Amino acid sequence: MIYFIAIIILLIYACIFRSIYERSVIDTTKINIIHKLASQSEPVILFFSDLHGVSFGKNNEKLLTAIDKINPDAIIIGGDMIIDKYKHMTNDSKAKENAIFLLNKLCEKYTVYYGMGNHETKSRVNDKIKAEYKNYIYRIENKNLHILANKHEYVTIKGTRFCIYGLEIEPSYYSKKTLKHADSAYIEKLLGPEPEHKHSIPIVISHTPDSFDACAKWGAEYVLSGHNHGGFIRLPYIGGIIASNFRLFPKYSAGIYKHKDCISTMILSRGLGTHTIKFRLFNKPELIVIKFKPKG
């Protein structure tokens, strides 16, 4: 019995130290998309989500170095750069300062499209921290930063035309108590009519993967999501163990998902940071590099 308890304690410590190591290491996932509208120049879009004010090295130098090594043609952020708690949103908060510094630094070199996560949305509507959130937005305003809160922009990246939508849903859709899923009519109410597919590639930044079905039925060709942090613990053949709403074995945790009824693909990031549950196992922080290649 003593040996069994000792083994359990050793395993717990091993998991803790493994998690500490993993949280400091950045993984890069490369995805090639073959598309009839992609140019021969093969534009590269970097996608990441869920920083939560974390810093990889001083002033996020490790993260910035990894991004500069990729040298993307544009960057898409899936939301949750911050944490919607007062202590994390005050002007001297390390988490808030880390997010501001990273965004401003990225905008010196890249065009950035920033979709809203639940932490941004909750900060904006929370009377206790809405002033701090306004200060955050004021300090990241930049001609190279495009904040897409139920907005879209047509953009040409290395000869390929995209329409990038930023979906911002109500906080009630993130409730941990009751499951509430958006439908395509709700998406249309927020984003407008179904996008055209003839001349541009429609991309929707939808922070939660639970909106994938609704976005697909609305007409999104590609959906970029985060929120579930890869399921916190990932196991072979099973995937993520727990979702951000604390439900076990979520349908979507990380990776690429094809919709069964629509021509729609979701790319789901494992995210970069943590906040409430500061734990990752077999689930390193992730940058996703998406290259659009022409058919043939």
Side-chain angles (χ1 to χ4, degrees):
M1 186 65 179
I2 294 174
Y3 290 113
F4 176 76
I5 293 171
I7 290 169
I8 294 298
I9 292 172
L10 285 172
L11 284 173
I12 291 170
Y13 272 100
C15 289
I16 290 170
F17 283 112
R18 175 69 190 184
S19 176
I20 292 169
Y21 160 73
E22 284 193 18
R23 297 200 323 262
S24 67
V25 178
I26 302 168
D27 221 2
T28 300
T29 300
K30 296 182 179 180
I31 298 172
N32 289 331
I33 292 177
I34 311 297
H35 200 283
K36 63 183 181 181
L37 296 180
S39 70
Q40 295 291 334
S41 300
E42 299 184 354
V44 173
I45 293 176
L46 172 68
F47 171 56
F48 68 82
S49 185
D50 299 279
L51 180 75
H52 290 297
V54 167
S55 186
F56 293 86
K58 185 178 180 181
N59 293 326
N60 254 314
E61 57 188 12
K62 286 174 63 176
L63 179 55
L64 287 165
T65 299
I67 292 171
D68 286 342
K69 188 175 179 180
I70 295 163
N71 192 27
D73 300 306
I75 295 174
I76 291 179
I77 297 175
D80 278 8
M81 289 291 288
I82 54 176
I83 302 173
D84 68 321
K85 304 296 181 192
Y86 181 78
K87 68 177 182 178
H88 297 297
M89 286 300 292
T90 54
N91 291 340
D92 59 348
S93 160
K94 188 179 290 187
K96 182 179 176 182
E97 293 302 318
N98 286 340
I100 291 169
F101 182 86
L102 179 65
L103 286 166
N104 288 332
K105 203 70 179 173
L106 290 176
C107 288
E108 291 177 7
K109 293 184 178 181
Y110 310 104
T111 303
V112 180
Y113 300 91
Y114 181 3
M116 300 290 96
N118 54 300
H119 284 259
E120 283 88 1
T121 303
K122 289 177 181 178
S123 296
R124 180 175 59 79
V125 300
N126 185 338
D127 289 336
K128 294 181 180 178
I129 55 176
K130 64 169 53 176
E132 284 73 18
Y133 181 72
K134 285 181 179 179
N135 172 264
Y136 166 71
I137 295 297
Y138 172 76
R139 292 178 62 194
I140 62 175
E141 285 180 342
N142 188 294
K143 65 178 182 179
N144 287 329
L145 180 65
H146 302 251
I147 297 175
L148 301 178
N150 293 328
K151 296 178 181 178
H152 68 275
E153 290 190 14
Y154 286 94
V155 56
T156 300
I157 304 173
K158 289 184 76 173
T160 301
R161 190 160 173 79
F162 297 90
C163 186
I164 304 176
Y165 291 81
L167 175 66
E168 184 181 29
I169 60 176
E170 298 168 11
S172 59
Y173 285 91
Y174 292 102
S175 173
K176 293 178 175 63
K177 296 178 180 179
T178 58
L179 285 175
K180 182 180 177 182
H181 295 304
D183 57 22
S184 58
Y186 179 66
I187 304 301
E188 183 169 353
K189 178 184 175 183
L190 297 179
L191 297 184
E194 176 184 343
E196 62 89 13
H197 294 249
K198 289 184 179 180
H199 306 293
S200 61
I201 303 173
I203 296 175
V204 174
I205 310 168
S206 170
H207 181 68
T208 171
D210 291 339
S211 297
F212 176 44
D213 182 66
C215 289
K217 290 177 179 176
W218 169 74
E221 193 165 351
Y222 296 97
V223 178
L224 304 185
S225 297
H227 188 55
N228 276 345
H229 296 204
F232 296 94
I233 300 170
R234 296 188 63 78
L235 297 178
Y237 307 108
I238 295 175
I241 298 299
I242 185 169
S244 290
N245 59 11
F246 299 137
R247 286 170 172 79
L248 295 174
F249 306 108
K251 182 179 179 180
Y252 305 122
S253 58
I256 301 174
Y257 299 87
K258 303 279 188 180
H259 196 278
K260 62 179 180 179
D261 299 321
C262 307
I263 304 173
S264 187
T265 300
M266 177 170 65
I267 298 172
L268 177 53
S269 167
R270 298 196 303 266
L272 285 171
T274 57
H275 57 102
T276 304
I277 302 176
K278 296 184 181 297
F279 189 82
R280 285 179 175 268
L281 195 58
F282 315 123
N283 179 28
K284 294 174 184 174
E286 182 180 42
L287 294 174
I288 298 178
V289 182
I290 308 168
K291 178 181 282 190
F292 286 84
K293 301 166 75 76
K295 277 192 173 181

